[in-house]
Structure formats: structure tokens, C-alpha cells
Amino acid sequence: MSTPAAGAAPTGNYFRDTRPVEPDEPRVLYQVQEHVAHVVINRPLVLNAIHADVHHGLVDGFQQADADDEVRVVILSGKGRAFCVGGDRGLTPEEQAAMKPASALETALAIWNCRKPVIAAVQGYALGQGAELAAICDMTIASDDARFGEVQINMGAGPPIFSAPSAMGIKQVKEYLLTGDHFTAQHALEVGLVNKVVPRDRLMDETMVVARRLASLPPQGVQGDKKLINDAYERAGFIDSLKAAWSAMER
């Protein structure tokens, strides 16, 4: 984990940085401003495709935010043109072997168990694991060009993070998972996958409006309510469903 260079505060141009990720640059960036932790997937050249190092960076970021009493809200975003296109299928066997194994389930639970509310700021593509990460966040704000899709079905696989049922009704979930079709930001809003749709150049600014609102409230109340809501879903079997989906992926 690392802190972005000074002066990298979110602006309307936040998502237009398409610099190459240098070999020694962290794959996940972390910084805290105004009681808000920013966890940023930093692989813009490959549209923030996820591999094991990204998973470890995300877990570290959410755990760091959870442990920091100065942090009241967390924003998850992706650098560049897309939020995240899902798992990185372009890795060589040598690259995979060089990485410490990681679990998408562990990443999902790091978001779910974080006491602070987590907001996903989604631009461009949010596919596969990217869509699943956005769905398991407490809130999701999407740019008007965002596209969501559970594309694993096209490869005969299921979702590593079975988060869609926590956000949508059964008919919408089945359409989403069984077809692999992309949902526009507006359709995602209509089915409950997204809280708000905003212009692309306003995405981080509008996300910060929501984050500042949450950060202004008594933290014990916000964190207590998140736990009450999560507890209700856990009693209904949500965590068991997450674990079962991950076990099916590992077979």
C-alpha cells in the first residue's frame, strides 16, 4: 500500500489518469483525506484487472481503514478509464507463481466486515469481480457511462463473489447472472444495483458529497446501523452463500 503523490486529491479529472503502472508502483493506492479513506485499484493500462496482488492490496486497505479511528468512510475506485474489468486472464504461469495466493472471498469479507461504510465510485466497465466488488459495497455511485456485467457465464463459470443477491430482487439477479448481459448505469439504478448515477466528470465530486455527509454523522450511529443491517443479511444466510459460491469456484 502507498499514498499517491501530493496534490492527487479527487477532482473532476480524477479518472482521466492513464499513466502506465510502473513495475515498482503499488497495484492498490491508499490515502486518507477529510476522514475519508481512498482505496484505489491502480492498474489503468489493463482497466484495473484483478490479480492476487490487487486482492492483497484491497484487503490491506480496508483493514487499515477499519483500524484507523480517523477514518469514517471508505471510497473504493479504479484509476483510469474503468472501475475494474474483473479477473486478469492475461497473466503468465510465471507471473501467477510469483504472487502469494489470494481469495476473492477474503476481499469481499474485508469490505463487508469493515465497520466504516464503503462507497464504490464506478466509471466505465465494472465486470466480473469488478461488478461483484461494487455490489458488496454499502453504496454504489456510478457515472453515466458505467456498464455492469457478470460475464463469467460466457466462460461457463459462476461469480467468485456472490454479492448480487444482496442488492437486487430474484428476477433481476437471474437476468444479470444467467445472461451475462451488460447493464447500463441507468438500468443498474432501476434494479437496485446502484444508488445514484452522475455525469462522468462529476463522479468523484458527487461521491465525496455522499462521503462527507456520512462522515459528518456520529460514527457510532453509522457503524452501528451498518452492523444491524449486515447482521440481518447474515441471519438470512448471506455469508453462507458467499462461501458456497467461492467453494464452487475452487472445484
Side-chain angles (χ1 to χ4, degrees):
M1 302 296 294
S2 177
T3 301
T11 68
N13 294 322
Y14 181 83
F15 296 104
R16 297 182 184 176
D17 183 356
T18 56
R19 296 175 302 119
V21 176
E22 300 298 335
D24 60 348
E25 189 171 347
R27 297 317 189 231
V28 175
L29 305 176
Y30 181 90
Q31 71 173 157
V32 177
Q33 294 178 330
E34 303 179 59
H35 300 291
V36 178
H38 293 266
V39 178
V40 186
I41 305 173
N42 185 36
R43 302 190 72 207
L45 279 184
V46 291
L47 302 182
N48 296 314
I50 294 179
H51 55 34
D53 285 352
V54 172
H55 277 300
H56 288 302
L58 290 172
V59 171
D60 289 347
F62 289 114
Q63 290 180 346
Q64 185 173 342
D66 188 53
D68 186 348
D69 290 338
E70 290 299 309
V71 172
R72 296 187 177 186
V73 183
V74 186
I75 294 175
L76 172 63
S77 63
K79 202 73 170 173
R81 296 185 294 119
F83 175 72
C84 173
V85 293
D88 189 344
R89 296 183 174 275
L91 294 175
T92 66
E94 293 76 17
E95 288 173 324
Q96 290 179 324
M99 295 181 188
K100 178 183 175 183
S103 163
L105 175 62
E106 184 179 359
T107 304
L109 291 176
I111 296 173
W112 183 263
N113 292 326
C114 181
R115 292 171 300 151
K116 302 18 176 338
V118 181
I119 307 171
V122 177
Q123 83 286 359
Y125 289 116
L127 305 178
Q129 292 181 55
E132 294 156 17
L133 289 175
I136 204 167
C137 288
D138 301 298
M139 297 183 185
T140 301
I141 298 176
S143 66
D144 50 14
D145 70 339
R147 296 292 183 273
F148 298 81
E150 287 282 8
V151 294
Q152 294 95 333
I153 193 70
N154 297 307
M155 293 160 280
I161 304 171
F162 193 49
S163 52
S166 69
M168 295 186 283
I170 187 170
K171 299 292 187 180
Q172 290 80 19
V173 170
K174 287 184 176 181
E175 176 189 0
Y176 190 51
L177 292 179
L178 298 181
T179 66
D181 290 344
H182 291 189
F183 280 14
T184 65
Q186 185 59 40
H187 188 44
L189 177 66
E190 292 167 359
V191 300
L193 195 59
V194 161
N195 295 89
K196 189 176 184 180
V197 177
V198 301
R200 170 68 171 258
D201 62 359
R202 292 285 305 164
L203 177 57
M204 186 51 69
D205 295 317
E206 295 294 336
T207 303
M208 282 299 297
V209 169
V210 177
R212 290 188 184 104
R213 168 63 177 153
L214 294 176
S216 72
L217 298 169
Q220 66 272 21
V222 173
Q223 293 172 26
D225 280 359
K226 173 173 176 174
K227 186 176 188 306
L228 284 173
I229 296 165
N230 283 10
D231 284 351
Y233 277 84
E234 289 177 20
R235 287 193 296 273
F238 178 64
I239 298 299
D240 290 339
S241 295
L242 284 179
K243 292 178 178 178
W246 179 248
S247 294
M249 282 292 299
E250 289 188 304
R251 293 193 195 115

